[in-house]
Amino acid sequence: MKTSTICLTLILLSIQVGDARADYRLEILKDQPADYWSFDNAVGLPVRNEISGTADGRDVSTAKKRHGVSQLAATFDRNHKAGRVEVRLNQQQDQAIEQLFHGSFSLELWLLDEANASDGNTNYSLLYKADRKSFTRNSLWLYRDRTNGHYNFRFHGRDGNQLGITLRSPAGEKKAGDQKWHHLVITADRSKIENGQGRLRAFLDGKPVGESAIDSKIVIDNDGSLIIGNNHTSNSPWQGGIDELALYKRVLDDATISRHHEIGRRELMTKPSESSLLAEQQEFFELKIRPLLIDKCVDCHDGDPDSDSTLAVGSRQALLKGGDFGPTILPGRATDSLLIH
C-alpha cells in the first residue's frame, strides 16, 4: 500500500503540471472542430481524435514525444526519418474528411521547424491526403519547400485544376528552421463566390500573411490516409514538432484565430523551465510512470471500444476522465483516488 501511495502521489504531482496548461485544449473544443488531434498520448498508444466518433491516428516510427503547446506534441527527428502519424480512414470517415475540404473549411496547427537550410533536394512534409497512384493530382498537402524554405498549401483536383497559397518562413528565405513554435492556419471560404471563385487565406502567429483565389469546383476523391509528418512515400521527413491539429467545417474569423494564437502563446511562455521542480516531476512521469502503466495496464485499459474496460491509462486526460466508476485519479487527493484501490 505504501509503495502504491508513493507511485500514485508522483503521478498526481506530474499531472498537476499539466492542469495549469489545459486552457488551449478547452478553447479549441469550445469552438467545435470537426477533428482535433492534440498528440498528448504516449508513443505506442492511439493518437486520439478529441472529437467522438472520428478517426484516431497511430504513430509510425516517431521519436520520443516532448513538450508542445499543451502537454505533449508529435515529435520528428533525424533518427526517425520515416516518422509520421497516420490516420487511416474507413469509407465513412474518408467521405467526411473530403466533404470538409470541398466546402468552406479551416486547417489549424502548431509547428516547430528544426529542418536544415533549403538544399534544393528535400521537401519537408507536414500534412498529406494523397492519391498514391496519381500524386500530385487528386491530392491535398502542406509542406516546407525545398527551394526556399517557405510553407506551401496545395490542393490539386482530380480533374487537374489546382490552387495553393504560400506562407513565408519566419526564419527567412532558404534558412534553417528557427526552432520556435508557430501557429499556422489556412482558411477556405467557398460561401461567397465571385466569378466562380472563393477566397483562400493564410495566417501565421495570429496574423493574415497571404490570400489567393480558390476555384469552387476543385475537389479530390482518393482513399489515402491523412498523414501528419513524413508523406506517403516516406521521402519528405519533417524535422521538429507538430501539435494541436484541428479541422473545422467553417471559416474561422480573424478574431478567433488571433485568440487561439494568444492562448497557445501564453501556454508556451508559462511552460515550466527544464530546471524547475515541476518540470522534473513531469519528466519523471513521462520516463518512469507512463511506461509502467503502458507495460502493465494498457492491454486491458487502452480505451478502445473493444477493450475489456472503458478505462484508458495512456494520458493525463484519460486518467482524469476514468472509466465506468469515475475519475481514476484525483489530483492532490492520492488516498481518495481509484487507481490506488
Side-chain angles (χ1 to χ4, degrees):
M1 175 68 73
K2 182 177 179 181
T3 301
S4 298
T5 302
I6 293 172
C7 290
L8 181 57
T9 300
L10 289 170
I11 291 173
L12 297 177
L13 285 171
S14 300
I15 287 170
Q16 286 174 330
V17 175
D19 287 343
R21 302 178 56 234
D23 288 348
Y24 187 85
R25 176 178 175 273
L26 295 176
E27 192 73 18
I28 296 301
L29 291 174
K30 184 177 69 175
D31 286 326
Q32 300 181 324
D35 298 275
Y36 174 34
W37 296 273
S38 61
F39 306 105
D40 286 339
N41 282 36
V43 172
L45 290 177
V47 180
R48 295 292 183 191
N49 191 326
E50 301 281 350
I51 309 304
S52 176
T54 51
D56 294 337
R58 66 184 184 95
D59 292 300
V60 180
S61 188
T62 52
K64 172 190 168 184
K65 290 189 174 181
R66 57 184 175 182
H67 296 304
V69 177
S70 180
Q71 302 208 38
L72 300 180
T75 304
F76 311 88
D77 62 26
R78 292 170 179 81
N79 296 321
H80 301 78
K81 291 188 175 181
R84 65 185 183 275
V85 175
E86 187 169 348
V87 183
R88 294 185 175 180
L89 307 167
N90 61 33
Q91 183 175 6
Q92 182 178 1
Q93 293 165 341
D94 184 79
Q95 290 176 349
I97 288 285
E98 290 184 351
Q99 287 174 3
L100 180 148
F101 286 121
H102 295 164
S104 294
F105 68 85
S106 298
L107 161 64
E108 178 179 36
L109 58 85
W110 287 78
L111 65 87
L112 174 68
D113 189 344
E114 297 178 333
N116 294 328
S118 301
D119 60 5
N121 296 316
T122 305
N123 288 326
Y124 294 92
S125 304
L126 285 159
L127 178 71
Y128 273 65
K129 175 92 171 61
D131 188 323
R132 290 178 175 269
K133 296 180 179 179
S134 61
F135 182 79
T136 60
R137 185 187 293 261
N138 194 28
S139 301
L140 172 153
W141 69 105
L142 173 67
Y143 69 103
R144 188 186 126 160
D145 195 296
R146 62 190 176 191
T147 62
N148 54 34
H150 301 320
Y151 309 115
N152 295 323
F153 175 76
R154 297 290 182 260
F155 196 125
H156 288 201
R158 60 190 177 192
D159 58 359
N161 292 332
Q162 55 185 275
L163 61 88
I165 195 166
T166 296
L167 299 84
R168 295 183 62 83
S169 169
E173 185 90 10
K174 298 184 179 181
K175 300 293 186 180
D178 64 3
Q179 303 183 34
K180 298 178 182 179
W181 283 102
H182 293 283
H183 182 234
L184 184 153
V185 180
I186 303 292
T187 67
D189 189 350
R190 304 199 201 209
S191 64
K192 300 178 181 178
I193 303 299
E194 298 180 5
N195 300 321
Q197 294 183 324
R199 185 168 67 157
L200 191 67
R201 301 180 72 201
F203 296 77
L204 190 65
D205 294 334
K207 299 179 180 179
V209 293
E211 181 175 327
S212 66
I214 176 172
D215 190 328
S216 62
K217 297 180 180 179
I218 293 182
V219 298
I220 60 171
D221 182 14
N222 66 62
D223 58 2
S225 300
L226 194 67
I227 298 175
I228 302 154
N230 203 338
N231 68 9
H232 57 293
T233 60
S234 296
N235 64 359
S236 300
W238 181 246
Q239 304 293 326
I242 299 174
D243 204 8
E244 311 299 337
L245 171 60
L247 300 174
Y248 303 82
K249 294 180 181 179
R250 67 185 190 283
V251 175
L252 295 180
D253 60 34
D254 293 30
T256 299
I257 293 170
S258 178
R259 174 165 47 87
H260 287 185
H261 168 254
E262 181 59 24
I263 293 173
R265 187 186 67 84
R266 286 205 307 266
E267 292 205 9
L268 286 167
M269 291 179 63
T270 57
K271 186 171 62 177
S273 66
E274 292 301 319
S275 61
S276 72
L277 175 61
L278 292 180
E280 292 174 3
Q281 291 168 343
Q282 188 168 17
E283 181 180 19
F284 182 85
F285 176 76
E286 297 299 335
L287 295 179
K288 302 294 184 181
I289 302 299
R290 194 195 294 269
L292 180 65
L293 293 173
I294 292 174
D295 182 48
K296 302 296 184 182
C297 309
V298 78
D299 286 347
C300 297
H301 299 292
D302 63 1
D304 284 344
D306 297 332
S307 297
D308 296 336
S309 169
T310 59
L311 172 63
V313 298
S315 70
R316 179 185 67 87
Q317 288 92 344
L319 289 168
L320 288 170
K321 180 180 179 181
D324 295 333
F325 301 101
T328 311
I329 50 88
L330 299 173
R333 296 165 54 191
T335 57
D336 295 331
S337 299
L338 291 176
L339 187 61
I340 201 171
H341 298 291

